[in-house]
């Protein structure tokens, strides 16, 4: 796979990464998890050059980090581990529809304790990229970021990243310690970051990690009706997936497929190639727990979109319904 640099001074990584969350959290919670398949997918990702693997302590909570730790036993040197701190689960079924209820926690003492737990679960002595999952509105970001910088000084983390932040928050963090990456939702149907955050990252040598780059499966044509969503699936609570909105948004998926059919690629590959075309600092992290979809996603690294293809995709209208 083609490689790029994770931020100005980061390691070389594949231009497509892997989001591990769905292997143990959030989507299709009725279907039993198959750990052997998930481990196989992680190994296949490394073999394909998808070296950046993204997780968080709150996924599960904890079980996703544990899974990744078991999968990387004996293969740690081939992976760039990205995990997160800053959210905590306060009730595993207390959220909407029985989902986990989480809240921000950016207290320095929480950060100091959390990284030791992540290291233990991941079975490693350092985290390649330690990210602030969400800014805690009750704690100045400088205090949270300062505690994360302590982890770098101690050798527990090599680099630090932010998630879902404004330019002002990036700047405040930068006043304390270098920001290597910013992670936010970014896809053909979620483009908020293009206004300010993405240009700022490019200007300042900060890597950008789009999560949900396939629109949670919508952009690849996986769902045409609300009833297609599995029971107890997080997407059933999102406005864009409600029946009337979903029906109105089908035209977006159809336009992605039209480009895919024209160039002999899959919709997933087109959606991911559009993101990588935004600049070498943009590394999407699609999630999957299926070998077939993983190979499909990896193939996006070889897709080149023409100016006409990019223009057609850029012209896609905003979806109906809010993100959350």
């Amino acid at each position: 796979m083609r490689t790029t640099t994770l931020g100005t001074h980061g390691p070389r990584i594949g231009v497509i990464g892997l989001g591990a969350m769905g292997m143990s959290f959030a989507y299709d919670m009725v279907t039993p998890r198959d750990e052997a398949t998930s481990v196989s997918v992680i190994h296949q990702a490394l073999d394909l050059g998808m070296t950046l693997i993204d997780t968080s302590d709150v996924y599960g909570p904890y079980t996703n980090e544990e899974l990744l730790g078991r999968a990387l036993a004996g293969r740690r040197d081939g992976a760039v581990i990205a995990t997160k701190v800053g959210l905590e689960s306060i009730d595993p079924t207390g959220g909407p529809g029985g989902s986990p209820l989480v809240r921000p926690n950016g207290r320095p003492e929480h950060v100091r304790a959390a990284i030791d737990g992540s290291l233990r679960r991941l079975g490693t002595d350092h985290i390649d990229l330690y990210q602030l999952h969400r800014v805690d509105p009750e704690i100045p970001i400088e205090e949270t970021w300062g505690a994360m910088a302590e982890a770098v000084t101690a050798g527990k983390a090599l680099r630090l990243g932010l998630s879902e932040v404004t330019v002002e928050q990036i700047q405040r963090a930068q006043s304390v310690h270098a920001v290597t990456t910013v992670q936010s939702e970014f896809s053909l149907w979620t483009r908020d970051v293009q206004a300010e955050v993405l240009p700022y990252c490019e200007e300042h040598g900060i890597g950008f990690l789009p999560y949900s780059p396939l629109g949670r499966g919508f952009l690849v044509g996986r769902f045409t009706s609300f009833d297609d969503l599995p029971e107890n699936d997080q997407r059933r609570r999102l406005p864009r997936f409600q029946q009337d909105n979903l029906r109105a948004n089908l035209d977006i998926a159809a336009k992605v497929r039209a480009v895919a059919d024209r160039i002999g690629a899959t919709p997933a590959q087109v959606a991911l190639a559009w993101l990588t075309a935004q600049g070498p600092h943009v590394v999407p992290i699609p999630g999957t727990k299926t070998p077939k979809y993983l190979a499909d996603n990896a193939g996006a690294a070889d897709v080149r979109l023409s100016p006409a293809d990019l223009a057609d995709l850029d012209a896609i209208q905003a979806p109906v319904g809010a993100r959350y």
Side-chain angles (χ1 to χ4, degrees):
M1 178 179 289
R2 289 187 296 118
T3 61
T4 189
T5 302
L6 183 61
T8 300
H9 304 293
R12 298 295 294 181
I13 58 171
V15 295
I16 308 290
L18 173 64
M21 181 186 76
M23 295 178 180
S24 50
F25 185 77
Y27 300 140
D28 188 10
M29 295 306 293
V30 172
T31 303
R33 266 33 186 184
D34 182 346
E35 177 162 323
T37 299
S38 293
V39 168
S40 176
V41 166
I42 293 168
H43 290 173
Q44 183 183 356
L46 296 177
D47 292 340
L48 290 169
M50 304 167 76
T51 48
L52 178 69
I53 304 178
D54 182 82
T55 183
S56 173
D57 60 0
V58 80
Y59 297 159
Y62 309 132
T63 54
N64 201 242
E65 286 187 331
E66 292 168 347
L67 168 65
L68 184 55
R70 289 190 290 271
L72 292 181
R75 301 200 62 169
R76 172 66 180 93
D77 291 345
V80 175
I81 296 177
T83 193
K84 309 182 197 75
V85 66
L87 289 178
E88 63 177 348
S89 176
I90 57 177
D91 187 335
T93 58
S99 64
L101 182 63
V102 300
R103 67 183 176 193
N105 187 344
R107 292 179 292 111
E109 56 269 30
H110 173 71
V111 172
R112 295 183 187 111
I115 192 166
D116 289 334
S118 289
L119 290 170
R120 182 179 65 254
R121 289 185 291 271
L122 290 164
T124 185
D125 63 356
H126 70 275
I127 291 164
D128 299 291
L129 178 65
Y130 201 41
Q131 304 164 97
L132 179 57
H133 208 150
R134 293 292 186 274
V135 174
D136 187 338
E138 303 297 324
I139 305 294
I141 191 173
E142 293 85 352
E143 294 184 16
T144 307
W145 200 246
M148 295 175 68
E150 292 174 13
V152 176
T153 301
K156 297 178 180 181
L158 301 186
R159 301 165 187 86
L160 302 181
L162 293 162
S163 180
E164 290 289 1
V165 286
T166 64
V167 167
E168 182 206 10
Q169 290 168 330
I170 300 171
Q171 293 170 331
R172 289 172 61 186
Q174 283 178 308
S175 71
V176 176
H177 188 277
V179 176
T180 295
T181 59
V182 168
Q183 180 177 154
S184 290
E185 184 170 356
F186 182 30
S187 70
L188 279 166
W189 80 341
T190 301
R191 307 192 195 186
D192 316 53
V193 298
Q194 287 184 300
E196 296 181 356
V197 173
L198 192 64
Y200 184 88
C201 288
E202 183 175 16
E203 179 182 355
H204 292 270
I206 297 171
F208 192 89
L209 307 178
Y211 73 80
S212 297
L214 302 178
R216 296 178 169 83
F218 179 82
L219 293 172
V220 303
R222 199 168 298 161
F223 308 109
T224 59
S225 165
F226 181 81
D227 293 333
D228 292 338
L229 296 165
E231 293 294 333
N232 197 22
D233 188 296
Q234 186 184 72
R235 287 164 290 201
R236 283 180 168 261
R237 301 184 294 277
L238 302 181
R240 290 181 182 178
F241 285 92
Q242 301 312 302
Q243 185 57 50
D244 290 344
N245 292 345
L246 192 151
R247 187 180 298 112
N249 289 330
L250 289 176
D251 184 55
I252 296 173
K255 289 179 177 177
V256 176
R257 177 167 291 281
V259 172
D261 290 344
R262 186 167 71 214
I263 67 174
T266 68
Q269 290 169 348
V270 167
L272 293 172
W274 180 82
L275 285 168
T276 61
Q278 306 307 307
H281 63 304
V282 179
V283 179
I285 48 173
T288 184
K289 54 183 185 291
T290 306
K292 173 186 173 183
Y293 292 145
L294 181 80
D296 190 17
N297 295 343
D302 299 321
V303 173
R304 294 291 193 274
L305 298 172
S306 71
D309 298 329
L310 290 169
D312 286 349
L313 295 168
D314 288 341
I316 288 176
Q317 298 298 306
V320 178
R323 273 202 287 164
Y324 305 118

